[in-house]
CSV table of all heavy atoms in Angstrom, one decimal:
chain,number,residue,atom,x,y,z
A,1,ASP,N,106.8,-35.9,34.1
A,1,ASP,CA,106.0,-34.9,33.5
A,1,ASP,C,105.3,-35.5,32.3
A,1,ASP,O,104.3,-34.8,31.7
A,1,ASP,CB,106.9,-33.8,33.0
A,1,ASP,CG,107.4,-32.9,34.0
A,1,ASP,OD1,106.7,-32.7,35.0
A,1,ASP,OD2,108.6,-32.3,34.0
A,2,LEU,N,105.6,-36.7,31.9
A,2,LEU,CA,104.8,-37.3,30.7
A,2,LEU,C,103.5,-37.6,31.3
A,2,LEU,O,102.5,-37.8,30.4
A,2,LEU,CB,105.6,-38.6,30.4
A,2,LEU,CG,106.8,-38.4,29.6
A,2,LEU,CD1,107.5,-39.8,29.5
A,2,LEU,CD2,106.6,-37.9,28.1
A,3,PHE,N,103.2,-37.8,32.5
A,3,PHE,CA,101.9,-38.2,33.1
A,3,PHE,C,101.2,-37.1,33.8
A,3,PHE,O,100.4,-37.3,34.6
A,3,PHE,CB,102.2,-39.5,34.0
A,3,PHE,CG,102.9,-40.5,33.3
A,3,PHE,CD1,104.4,-40.8,33.6
A,3,PHE,CD2,102.3,-41.3,32.4
A,3,PHE,CE1,105.0,-41.8,33.0
A,3,PHE,CE2,103.1,-42.4,31.8
A,3,PHE,CZ,104.4,-42.6,32.1
A,4,VAL,N,101.7,-35.8,33.6
A,4,VAL,CA,101.3,-34.6,34.3
A,4,VAL,C,99.7,-34.5,34.1
A,4,VAL,O,99.4,-34.8,32.9
A,4,VAL,CB,102.0,-33.5,34.0
A,4,VAL,CG1,101.8,-32.9,32.4
A,4,VAL,CG2,101.7,-32.3,35.0
A,5,ARG,N,99.0,-34.1,35.0
A,5,ARG,CA,97.6,-33.8,34.8
A,5,ARG,C,97.2,-32.4,35.2
A,5,ARG,O,97.4,-31.9,36.4
A,5,ARG,CB,96.7,-34.6,35.8
A,5,ARG,CG,96.8,-36.2,35.5
A,5,ARG,CD,96.0,-36.4,34.1
A,5,ARG,NE,96.0,-37.9,33.9
A,5,ARG,CZ,96.9,-38.5,33.1
A,5,ARG,NH1,97.8,-37.8,32.5
A,5,ARG,NH2,96.8,-39.8,32.8
A,6,ASP,N,96.9,-31.6,34.1
A,6,ASP,CA,96.5,-30.2,34.2
A,6,ASP,C,95.6,-30.0,33.2
A,6,ASP,O,95.8,-29.8,32.1
A,6,ASP,CB,97.8,-29.2,33.9
A,6,ASP,CG,97.5,-27.8,34.3
A,6,ASP,OD1,96.4,-27.3,33.8
A,6,ASP,OD2,98.3,-27.2,35.0
A,7,LYS,N,94.3,-30.0,33.6
A,7,LYS,CA,93.1,-30.0,32.6
A,7,LYS,C,93.2,-28.7,31.7
A,7,LYS,O,92.9,-28.8,30.6
A,7,LYS,CB,91.8,-30.0,33.5
A,7,LYS,CG,91.6,-31.4,34.0
A,7,LYS,CD,90.2,-31.5,34.8
A,7,LYS,CE,89.9,-33.0,35.2
A,7,LYS,NZ,88.6,-33.0,36.0
A,8,LEU,N,93.4,-27.6,32.5
A,8,LEU,CA,93.4,-26.3,31.6
A,8,LEU,C,94.5,-26.3,30.5
A,8,LEU,O,94.3,-25.9,29.4
A,8,LEU,CB,93.4,-25.1,32.5
A,8,LEU,CG,92.2,-24.8,33.4
A,8,LEU,CD1,92.5,-23.5,34.2
A,8,LEU,CD2,91.1,-24.5,32.6
A,9,LEU,N,95.7,-26.6,30.9
A,9,LEU,CA,96.8,-26.6,30.0
A,9,LEU,C,96.6,-27.7,29.0
A,9,LEU,O,96.9,-27.6,27.8
A,9,LEU,CB,98.2,-26.9,30.8
A,9,LEU,CG,98.9,-25.7,31.3
A,9,LEU,CD1,100.2,-26.1,31.9
A,9,LEU,CD2,99.2,-24.6,30.1
A,10,PHE,N,96.1,-28.9,29.4
A,10,PHE,CA,95.8,-29.9,28.4
A,10,PHE,C,94.8,-29.5,27.3
A,10,PHE,O,95.0,-29.8,26.3
A,10,PHE,CB,95.3,-31.2,29.2
A,10,PHE,CG,95.1,-32.4,28.2
A,10,PHE,CD1,96.3,-33.2,27.8
A,10,PHE,CD2,93.9,-32.9,27.8
A,10,PHE,CE1,96.1,-34.3,27.0
A,10,PHE,CE2,93.8,-33.9,27.1
A,10,PHE,CZ,94.9,-34.6,26.6
A,11,ARG,N,93.7,-28.8,27.7
A,11,ARG,CA,92.8,-28.2,26.9
A,11,ARG,C,93.3,-27.2,25.9
A,11,ARG,O,93.0,-27.2,24.7
A,11,ARG,CB,91.6,-27.7,27.7
A,11,ARG,CG,90.4,-27.4,26.9
A,11,ARG,CD,89.1,-27.0,27.7
A,11,ARG,NE,89.4,-25.7,28.5
A,11,ARG,CZ,88.6,-25.4,29.4
A,11,ARG,NH1,87.5,-26.1,29.7
A,11,ARG,NH2,88.8,-24.2,30.0
A,12,ASP,N,94.1,-26.4,26.5
A,12,ASP,CA,94.8,-25.3,25.7
A,12,ASP,C,95.8,-26.1,24.6
A,12,ASP,O,95.8,-25.6,23.5
A,12,ASP,CB,95.6,-24.4,26.5
A,12,ASP,CG,94.7,-23.3,27.4
A,12,ASP,OD1,93.5,-23.3,27.0
A,12,ASP,OD2,95.2,-22.8,28.3
A,13,PHE,N,96.5,-27.1,25.0
A,13,PHE,CA,97.4,-27.7,24.2
A,13,PHE,C,96.6,-28.3,23.0
A,13,PHE,O,97.0,-28.3,21.8
A,13,PHE,CB,98.2,-28.8,24.9
A,13,PHE,CG,98.9,-29.8,24.0
A,13,PHE,CD1,100.3,-29.3,23.6
A,13,PHE,CD2,98.5,-30.9,23.6
A,13,PHE,CE1,101.0,-30.0,22.8
A,13,PHE,CE2,99.3,-31.8,22.7
A,13,PHE,CZ,100.5,-31.2,22.3
A,14,LEU,N,95.5,-28.9,23.2
A,14,LEU,CA,94.6,-29.5,22.3
A,14,LEU,C,94.1,-28.5,21.3
A,14,LEU,O,94.0,-28.6,20.2
A,14,LEU,CB,93.6,-30.4,22.9
A,14,LEU,CG,93.9,-31.7,23.6
A,14,LEU,CD1,92.7,-32.4,24.1
A,14,LEU,CD2,94.7,-32.6,22.7
A,15,THR,N,93.6,-27.4,22.0
A,15,THR,CA,93.1,-26.2,21.2
A,15,THR,C,93.9,-25.8,20.1
A,15,THR,O,93.6,-25.5,19.0
A,15,THR,CB,92.7,-25.2,22.3
A,15,THR,OG1,91.6,-25.6,23.1
A,15,THR,CG2,92.0,-24.0,21.3
A,16,TYR,N,95.2,-25.6,20.4
A,16,TYR,CA,96.2,-25.1,19.5
A,16,TYR,C,97.0,-26.1,18.8
A,16,TYR,O,97.5,-25.8,17.6
A,16,TYR,CB,97.2,-24.1,20.3
A,16,TYR,CG,96.3,-22.9,20.8
A,16,TYR,CD1,96.1,-22.8,22.3
A,16,TYR,CD2,95.8,-21.9,20.0
A,16,TYR,CE1,95.3,-21.9,22.7
A,16,TYR,CE2,95.2,-20.8,20.5
A,16,TYR,CZ,94.8,-20.8,21.9
A,16,TYR,OH,94.0,-19.8,22.4
A,17,SER,N,97.2,-27.3,19.4
A,17,SER,CA,98.0,-28.3,18.7
A,17,SER,C,97.2,-29.1,17.6
A,17,SER,O,97.7,-29.4,16.5
A,17,SER,CB,98.7,-29.3,19.6
A,17,SER,OG,99.7,-28.7,20.3
A,18,ILE,N,95.9,-29.3,17.8
A,18,ILE,CA,95.1,-30.1,17.0
A,18,ILE,C,95.1,-29.4,15.6
A,18,ILE,O,95.3,-30.1,14.6
A,18,ILE,CB,93.8,-30.5,17.5
A,18,ILE,CG1,94.0,-31.5,18.7
A,18,ILE,CG2,92.8,-31.0,16.5
A,18,ILE,CD1,92.6,-32.0,19.3
A,19,PRO,N,94.7,-28.1,15.5
A,19,PRO,CA,94.6,-27.5,14.3
A,19,PRO,C,95.9,-27.4,13.4
A,19,PRO,O,96.0,-27.7,12.2
A,19,PRO,CB,94.1,-26.0,14.5
A,19,PRO,CG,93.4,-26.1,15.8
A,19,PRO,CD,94.2,-27.2,16.6
A,20,VAL,N,97.0,-27.1,14.3
A,20,VAL,CA,98.3,-27.2,13.6
A,20,VAL,C,98.7,-28.5,13.1
A,20,VAL,O,99.2,-28.7,12.1
A,20,VAL,CB,99.4,-26.6,14.6
A,20,VAL,CG1,100.7,-26.6,14.0
A,20,VAL,CG2,99.0,-25.2,15.0
A,21,THR,N,98.5,-29.6,14.0
A,21,THR,CA,98.8,-31.0,13.6
A,21,THR,C,98.0,-31.4,12.3
A,21,THR,O,98.6,-32.0,11.5
A,21,THR,CB,98.7,-31.9,14.8
A,21,THR,OG1,99.4,-31.4,15.9
A,21,THR,CG2,99.1,-33.3,14.4
A,22,LEU,N,96.8,-31.0,12.4
A,22,LEU,CA,95.9,-31.4,11.2
A,22,LEU,C,96.5,-30.7,10.0
A,22,LEU,O,96.5,-31.2,8.8
A,22,LEU,CB,94.5,-31.0,11.4
A,22,LEU,CG,93.8,-32.0,12.4
A,22,LEU,CD1,92.3,-31.5,12.7
A,22,LEU,CD2,93.7,-33.3,11.9
A,23,ASN,N,96.8,-29.4,10.1
A,23,ASN,CA,97.4,-28.5,9.1
A,23,ASN,C,98.7,-29.1,8.5
A,23,ASN,O,98.9,-29.2,7.3
A,23,ASN,CB,97.7,-27.1,9.6
A,23,ASN,CG,98.3,-26.2,8.7
A,23,ASN,OD1,98.8,-25.0,9.0
A,23,ASN,ND2,98.3,-26.5,7.4
A,24,GLU,N,99.6,-29.5,9.5
A,24,GLU,CA,100.8,-30.1,9.0
A,24,GLU,C,100.5,-31.5,8.2
A,24,GLU,O,101.1,-31.9,7.3
A,24,GLU,CB,101.8,-30.3,10.1
A,24,GLU,CG,102.3,-29.2,10.8
A,24,GLU,CD,103.1,-28.3,9.8
A,24,GLU,OE1,103.8,-28.8,9.0
A,24,GLU,OE2,103.2,-27.0,9.9
A,25,LEU,N,99.5,-32.2,8.9
A,25,LEU,CA,99.2,-33.6,8.2
A,25,LEU,C,98.6,-33.4,6.8
A,25,LEU,O,98.9,-34.1,5.9
A,25,LEU,CB,98.2,-34.3,9.1
A,25,LEU,CG,98.9,-35.1,10.3
A,25,LEU,CD1,97.7,-35.8,11.1
A,25,LEU,CD2,99.8,-36.2,9.6
A,26,MET,N,97.8,-32.3,6.7
A,26,MET,CA,97.1,-32.0,5.5
A,26,MET,C,98.1,-31.6,4.4
A,26,MET,O,98.1,-32.1,3.2
A,26,MET,CB,96.0,-31.1,5.6
A,26,MET,CG,94.7,-31.4,6.4
A,26,MET,SD,94.0,-32.9,5.7
A,26,MET,CE,93.3,-32.2,4.2
A,27,TRP,N,99.0,-30.7,4.9
A,27,TRP,CA,100.1,-30.4,4.1
A,27,TRP,C,101.0,-31.5,3.6
A,27,TRP,O,101.3,-31.7,2.5
A,27,TRP,CB,100.9,-29.2,4.7
A,27,TRP,CG,102.1,-28.7,3.8
A,27,TRP,CD1,102.0,-27.8,2.8
A,27,TRP,CD2,103.4,-29.0,3.9
A,27,TRP,NE1,103.3,-27.7,2.3
A,27,TRP,CE2,104.2,-28.4,2.9
A,27,TRP,CE3,104.1,-29.9,4.7
A,27,TRP,CZ2,105.6,-28.4,2.8
A,27,TRP,CZ3,105.5,-30.0,4.5
A,27,TRP,CH2,106.2,-29.3,3.6
A,28,GLY,N,101.5,-32.4,4.7
A,28,GLY,CA,102.3,-33.4,4.5
A,28,GLY,C,101.6,-34.5,3.6
A,28,GLY,O,102.2,-35.1,2.8
A,29,ALA,N,100.4,-34.7,3.9
A,29,ALA,CA,99.6,-35.8,3.0
A,29,ALA,C,99.6,-35.3,1.6
A,29,ALA,O,99.6,-36.1,0.7
A,29,ALA,CB,98.2,-36.0,3.6
A,30,GLY,N,99.5,-33.9,1.5
A,30,GLY,CA,99.5,-33.2,0.0
A,30,GLY,C,100.8,-33.5,-0.7
A,30,GLY,O,100.9,-33.9,-1.7
A,31,VAL,N,101.9,-33.4,0.2
A,31,VAL,CA,103.2,-33.5,-0.4
A,31,VAL,C,103.4,-35.1,-0.7
A,31,VAL,O,103.9,-35.4,-1.8
A,31,VAL,CB,104.3,-33.1,0.5
A,31,VAL,CG1,105.7,-33.5,0.1
A,31,VAL,CG2,104.3,-31.5,0.7
A,32,ALA,N,102.9,-35.9,0.2
A,32,ALA,CA,103.1,-37.3,-0.2
A,32,ALA,C,102.1,-37.7,-1.3
A,32,ALA,O,102.5,-38.6,-2.1
A,32,ALA,CB,102.6,-38.1,1.1
A,33,THR,N,101.0,-37.1,-1.5
A,33,THR,CA,100.0,-37.4,-2.6
A,33,THR,C,100.7,-36.9,-3.8
A,33,THR,O,100.7,-37.6,-4.9
A,33,THR,CB,98.7,-36.7,-2.4
A,33,THR,OG1,98.1,-37.1,-1.2
A,33,THR,CG2,97.8,-37.0,-3.6
A,34,ASN,N,101.4,-35.8,-3.7
A,34,ASN,CA,102.2,-35.3,-4.8
A,34,ASN,C,103.3,-36.4,-5.3
A,34,ASN,O,103.6,-36.8,-6.5
A,34,ASN,CB,103.0,-34.1,-4.6
A,34,ASN,CG,102.1,-32.8,-4.7
A,34,ASN,OD1,101.0,-33.0,-5.2
A,34,ASN,ND2,102.5,-31.8,-4.2
A,35,ALA,N,103.9,-37.0,-4.2
A,35,ALA,CA,104.9,-38.0,-4.5
A,35,ALA,C,104.3,-39.3,-5.1
A,35,ALA,O,104.9,-40.0,-5.9
A,35,ALA,CB,105.6,-38.4,-3.0
A,36,ILE,N,103.1,-39.6,-4.7
A,36,ILE,CA,102.4,-40.8,-5.3
A,36,ILE,C,102.0,-40.5,-6.7
A,36,ILE,O,102.3,-41.4,-7.6
A,36,ILE,CB,101.0,-41.0,-4.5
A,36,ILE,CG1,101.3,-41.6,-3.0
A,36,ILE,CG2,100.2,-42.0,-5.2
A,36,ILE,CD1,100.1,-41.5,-2.2
A,37,VAL,N,101.6,-39.3,-7.1
A,37,VAL,CA,101.3,-38.9,-8.5
A,37,VAL,C,102.6,-39.0,-9.2
A,37,VAL,O,102.7,-39.7,-10.4
A,37,VAL,CB,100.7,-37.5,-8.6
A,37,VAL,CG1,100.6,-37.1,-10.0
A,37,VAL,CG2,99.3,-37.4,-7.9
A,38,ILE,N,103.7,-38.3,-8.7
A,38,ILE,CA,104.9,-38.4,-9.4
A,38,ILE,C,105.5,-39.9,-9.5
A,38,ILE,O,106.1,-40.3,-10.5
A,38,ILE,CB,105.9,-37.5,-8.6
A,38,ILE,CG1,105.6,-36.1,-8.9
A,38,ILE,CG2,107.4,-37.7,-9.1
A,38,ILE,CD1,106.2,-35.1,-7.9
A,39,GLY,N,105.3,-40.6,-8.4
A,39,GLY,CA,105.7,-42.0,-8.4
A,39,GLY,C,105.2,-42.8,-9.5
A,39,GLY,O,105.8,-43.8,-9.9
A,40,HIS,N,103.8,-42.6,-9.9
A,40,HIS,CA,103.2,-43.3,-11.0
A,40,HIS,C,103.6,-42.8,-12.4
A,40,HIS,O,103.0,-43.3,-13.4
A,40,HIS,CB,101.8,-43.4,-10.8
A,40,HIS,CG,101.3,-44.3,-9.6
A,40,HIS,ND1,101.4,-44.0,-8.2
A,40,HIS,CD2,100.8,-45.6,-9.6
A,40,HIS,CE1,100.9,-44.9,-7.5
A,40,HIS,NE2,100.7,-46.0,-8.4
A,41,LEU,N,104.5,-41.8,-12.4
A,41,LEU,CA,104.9,-41.2,-13.7
A,41,LEU,C,106.2,-41.9,-14.1
A,41,LEU,O,106.7,-41.6,-15.2
A,41,LEU,CB,105.0,-39.7,-13.7
A,41,LEU,CG,103.7,-38.9,-13.4
A,41,LEU,CD1,104.0,-37.4,-13.3
A,41,LEU,CD2,102.7,-39.2,-14.5
C-alpha cells in the first residue's frame, strides 16, 4: 500500500494534508524560533 496509485485520493490527500502540514510546520518553526530566542538569553 506504500506504492498504491490512486490519483483522486492522492490529490485529495495533498489538498488537505499540505495546508495542515504547513500549518504544523509554521507553528512548530514558531515554537523552535521561540526556543532560539530563549536559547540566546
